[in-house]
Amino acid sequence: MAWVLKMDEVIESGLVHDFDASLSGIGQELGAGAYSMSDVLALPIFKQEDSSLPLDDETKHPPFQYVMCAATSPAVKLHDETLTYLNQGNEKWMLYNNVEWKRSWGQSYEIRMLDNRKMGDVPEITGKLVKSIIRVVFHDRRLQYTEHQQLEGWKWNRPGDRLLDLDIPMSVGIIDTKTNPSQLNAVEFLWDPAKRTSAFIQVHCISTEFTPRKHGGEKGVPFRIQVDTFKQNENGEYTDHLHSASCQIKVFKPKGADRKQKTDREKMEKRTAHEKEKYQPSYDTTVLTECSPWPDTPTAYVNSSPSTAPTFTAPQQSACSVPDSNSSSPNHQGDGVSQASSEQLQPSATIQETQQWLLKNRFSSYTRLFSNFLGADLLKLTKEDLVQICGAADGIRLYNSLKSRSVRPRLTLYVCREQPAPQGQQQAAGGGGDSSAATPYVYHAIYLEEMVASEVARKLALVFNIPFHQINQVYRQGPTGIHILVSDQMVQNFQDESCFLFSTVKAENGGGVHIILK
């Protein structure tokens, strides 16, 4: 094998150069002795044209293509997105060209940056450099919305480490590499589409680090490797988006990906030929598929400083409003039924109005999470999205609030405040026949979510603007005009949609009032 002899000669000289297409991913100035021959042979070997790669749709022709040299899992059903298993990389301090580097030591994975343009496509980048940003991000939507929290927790447990690194000595054709200390999951570099370019990456986080329980790699959360490429704008800044693509991965401890791949392969071999037709073949390389560009600033927790969090003024309460003593109750309707229509979030709501709506409806713990959401953005989220983001309990509650699905009351009562009868005129009992000169009886509906006497008093106070703390007792007028104390048991025996007139009388000691239902 001639290429082996050539490699021996290069290693003896102390430098590894890009000398053959099949070894295009190996090396820029790789120091002698840094890798043994077995290490070199273990590196990804590929042809420029790989017949095993899935064919692209001829109607689509993206300007670039990114290919990661790692096999896809055979246990993925047809029409599902491919899944690739990677081994975790390790970090170690070392000297490289007399400079101390935090060397990513372990298995690196090559991503080939391919110019896929046809003649005349995107001519403005011909002969110029482009910038690419490679990220490792969460695949699950719930974790995407809490990315900042998740990464801060990981950083706390592993101080000084990064989630993603470039293996610079192994990479080819990349220049001006940068890593931002505040973005532990991203690396960026410049490259020339006209030249062969390969970026070798190492992922240092494993899938089980972001699960509540450590089950092992196969139960861990999936990640995504995403590449976003930009060209220069008029000011020479690389901000004009050209292309984005990503793939789904899971990261295991060293050698865990190989074991998982072998397990999947053995499972597929045991299936019948008919069952195998439902699954994709395993490809030797992973082609990243086109996707939307990753936002420059995450949706949630852009800045962890509390001083930058938006502030909002709570709506003022009237002097006779009911104290929010039961605000912790899931069934509590803080603003009463009469204002239910105004509580619905409108698609035209601004960011501040959306924040106020969240605060008003007792979702204050999610205001920072949705800090950049308009009303339309929040209303577009499905029930499944909200459950993933907020958990089952709050997700369902938020979904019902957005769709104005209030809790069905357990009891509905219709009440009217009794007005003093005009002199010489008998007021009809129970709101019956009334003379044309009398004030018409207007009833209000009160809805009880709890079948207790205190709920009756609270709802009466809310609807009729009676200070709640001034209500001493609630009585029901019985036979011969006697006053019967309204108890929880009495409320439980009220018939649904009962009608009552009520009046207020001053308490004997002059402190507060009694309410009498008739």
Side-chain angles (χ1 to χ4, degrees):
M1 298 184 59
W3 69 270
V4 175
L5 297 177
K6 193 169 185 179
M7 176 62 74
D8 288 335
E9 296 172 2
V10 176
I11 290 180
E12 289 176 1
S13 69
L15 292 175
V16 175
H17 295 284
D18 181 17
F19 58 85
D20 188 75
S22 64
L23 294 175
S24 62
I26 307 175
Q28 285 179 323
E29 301 180 357
L30 183 62
Y35 292 88
S36 64
M37 178 58 69
S38 61
D39 294 324
V40 175
L41 294 177
L43 294 172
I45 305 299
F46 56 88
K47 297 180 181 179
Q48 187 66 27
E49 298 295 335
D50 192 338
S51 60
S52 66
L53 294 179
L55 297 177
D56 288 336
D57 188 349
E58 294 182 358
T59 62
K60 297 181 180 180
H61 194 82
F64 303 107
Q65 189 177 59
Y66 318 116
V67 181
M68 185 166 63
C69 295
T72 61
S73 168
V76 177
K77 291 187 176 182
L78 290 173
H79 310 299
D80 285 352
E81 185 181 13
T82 60
L83 176 61
T84 304
Y85 303 131
L86 303 184
N87 288 316
Q88 177 190 26
N90 298 319
E91 294 182 333
K92 180 179 179 182
W93 288 98
M94 64 168 291
L95 284 176
Y96 174 68
N97 285 350
N98 296 322
V99 178
E100 193 174 36
W101 287 71
K102 192 172 188 179
R103 174 74 165 89
S104 298
W105 205 262
Q107 187 160 356
S108 300
Y109 292 92
E110 178 182 14
I111 298 180
R112 289 182 283 173
M113 317 290 290
L114 305 177
D115 187 354
N116 198 39
R117 291 176 297 161
K118 291 182 179 180
M119 185 68 69
D121 286 354
V122 200
E124 63 270 22
I125 65 172
T126 301
K128 296 184 179 180
L129 300 175
V130 295
K131 181 177 82 171
S132 287
I133 302 175
I134 301 179
R135 293 179 174 89
V136 55
V137 296
F138 292 113
H139 175 77
D140 293 341
R141 188 188 298 268
R142 175 180 61 85
L143 293 174
Q144 288 178 9
Y145 281 105
T146 59
E147 179 183 281
H148 179 84
Q149 287 177 310
Q150 300 291 337
L151 299 188
E152 284 296 314
W154 188 89
K155 180 181 178 181
W156 177 266
N157 293 324
R158 297 178 57 176
D161 288 352
R162 294 183 53 83
L163 283 83
L164 182 69
D165 265 323
L166 272 175
D167 195 341
I168 296 178
M170 294 291 292
S171 300
V172 174
I174 65 173
I175 61 175
D176 196 17
T177 60
K178 294 180 181 179
T179 55
N180 190 332
S182 64
Q183 295 182 342
L184 304 179
N185 61 331
V187 294
E188 64 180 66
F189 53 87
L190 303 180
W191 59 288
D192 186 349
K195 298 181 180 179
R196 181 171 295 131
T197 304
S198 289
F200 279 77
I201 63 167
Q202 284 198 344
V203 184
H204 301 300
C205 56
I206 60 176
S207 294
T208 53
E209 289 184 284
F210 298 97
T211 54
R213 300 177 183 176
K214 305 300 185 285
H215 292 291
E218 62 185 9
K219 297 294 184 181
V221 301
F223 301 120
R224 301 194 69 80
I225 293 292
Q226 176 153 336
V227 181
D228 300 293
T229 299
F230 304 86
K231 65 178 180 179
Q232 285 181 308
N233 60 14
E234 297 177 352
N235 299 324
E237 300 172 339
Y238 290 93
T239 56
D240 289 352
H241 178 258
L242 285 172
H243 182 244
S244 294
S246 64
C247 66
Q248 183 182 190
I249 64 169
K250 277 192 174 184
V251 185
F252 296 74
K253 290 183 178 180
K255 298 185 180 180
D258 307 281
R259 290 192 293 268
K260 178 61 176 170
Q261 186 80 359
K262 180 181 177 182
T263 300
D264 285 359
R265 187 169 58 250
E266 291 173 347
K267 287 182 179 179
M268 293 305 301
E269 290 173 353
K270 295 178 181 178
R271 297 182 182 272
T272 64
H274 178 70
E275 291 176 328
K276 289 180 181 178
E277 292 177 356
K278 301 177 182 179
Y279 291 85
Q280 302 179 21
S282 175
Y283 299 106
D284 294 335
T285 55
T286 302
V287 178
L288 279 67
T289 56
E290 286 191 277
C291 64
S292 301
W294 194 257
D296 291 336
T297 56
T299 305
Y301 296 95
V302 176
N303 193 326
S304 59
S305 173
S307 60
T308 61
T311 57
F312 305 99
T313 304
Q316 294 182 353
Q317 296 182 342
S318 61
C320 56
S321 63
V322 181
D324 195 9
S325 58
N326 296 326
S327 61
S328 60
S329 170
N331 296 328
H332 173 64
Q333 301 291 333
D335 297 304
V337 191
S338 61
Q339 298 182 8
S341 59
S342 65
E343 288 184 359
Q344 185 173 3
L345 182 66
Q346 300 299 321
S348 59
T350 64
I351 291 178
Q352 184 170 351
E353 289 170 344
T354 303
Q355 292 282 309
Q356 289 175 339
W357 183 89
L358 290 168
L359 291 169
K360 190 176 182 181
N361 288 272
R362 297 176 295 110
F363 295 104
S364 58
S365 57
Y366 299 102
T367 52
R368 292 189 64 190
L369 189 61
F370 298 114
S371 60
N372 289 335
F373 274 62
L374 298 169
D377 299 329
L378 203 55
L379 289 167
K380 287 177 183 177
L381 296 177
T382 65
K383 184 176 182 179
E384 291 73 19
D385 294 336
L386 294 171
V387 168
Q388 279 192 338
I389 297 167
C390 306
D394 284 342
I396 294 173
R397 189 166 68 88
L398 179 53
Y399 178 78
N400 288 339
S401 298
L402 289 170
K403 305 303 178 183
S404 295
R405 295 185 180 183
S406 57
V407 179
R408 184 177 179 85
R410 299 178 63 185
L411 182 67
T412 301
L413 302 177
Y414 302 117
V415 293
C416 173
R417 191 164 192 170
E418 190 176 36
Q419 301 296 330
Q423 187 175 6
Q425 191 174 44
Q426 180 69 29
Q427 190 175 39
D434 190 19
S435 67
S436 58
T439 303
Y441 287 93
V442 178
Y443 284 80
H444 297 266
I446 63 173
Y447 303 95
L448 304 184
E449 289 88 23
E450 298 181 59
M451 304 281 280
V452 293
S454 60
E455 180 80 346
V456 175
R458 194 174 68 84
K459 289 300 179 70
L460 287 171
L462 183 65
V463 173
F464 294 96
N465 291 330
I466 303 172
F468 180 68
H469 66 277
Q470 292 187 11
I471 299 177
N472 289 352
Q473 299 291 347
V474 178
Y475 298 103
R476 182 176 184 181
Q477 185 169 295
T480 67
I482 62 173
H483 293 167
I484 306 169
L485 180 65
V486 174
S487 63
D488 295 347
Q489 188 174 7
M490 180 183 288
V491 174
Q492 293 164 11
N493 284 278
F494 279 165
Q495 289 186 355
D496 195 27
E497 297 191 329
S498 296
C499 298
F500 294 98
L501 285 172
F502 82 91
S503 60
T504 58
V505 295
K506 290 185 178 181
E508 296 78 6
N509 56 6
V513 296
H514 299 311
I515 291 179
I516 302 173
L517 300 176
K518 300 178 182 180

